[in-house]
């Protein structure tokens, strides 16, 4: 997962990725940009909610 190692990535790549990858990223990634993309454009409600929770935790 390029996001977790700091490699370049695009929002389009993340949005086009599999449900599994989006779900895993939403739960493990600490990139504010990636979480924001997933919170708004994630494929499933589960992904969007997990990403929104991740963003909220970063704000704490």
């Amino acid at each position: 997962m390029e996001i977790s190692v700091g490699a370049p990535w695009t929002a389009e790549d993340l949005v086009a990725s599999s449900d599994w990858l989006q779900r895993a990223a939403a739960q493990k990634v600490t990139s504010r940009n990636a979480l924001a993309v997933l919170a708004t454009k994630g494929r499933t409600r589960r992904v969007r909610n997990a990403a929104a929770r991740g963003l909220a935790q970063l704000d704490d």
Side-chain angles (χ1 to χ4, degrees):
M1 194 178 322
E2 288 97 0
I3 300 167
S4 63
V5 296
W9 59 276
T10 65
E12 293 82 18
D13 290 338
L14 187 56
V15 171
S17 63
S18 69
D19 290 350
W20 177 87
L21 182 65
Q22 286 187 9
R23 196 167 44 251
Q27 294 172 352
K28 296 179 182 179
V29 170
T30 58
S31 165
R32 186 174 301 279
N33 292 335
L35 289 172
V37 167
L38 289 172
T40 58
K41 297 182 181 179
R43 188 172 294 144
T44 65
R45 183 174 34 186
R46 185 176 179 185
V47 168
R48 293 188 301 272
N49 288 340
R53 281 192 305 274
L55 279 173
Q57 287 177 350
L58 290 178
D59 291 337
D60 289 343

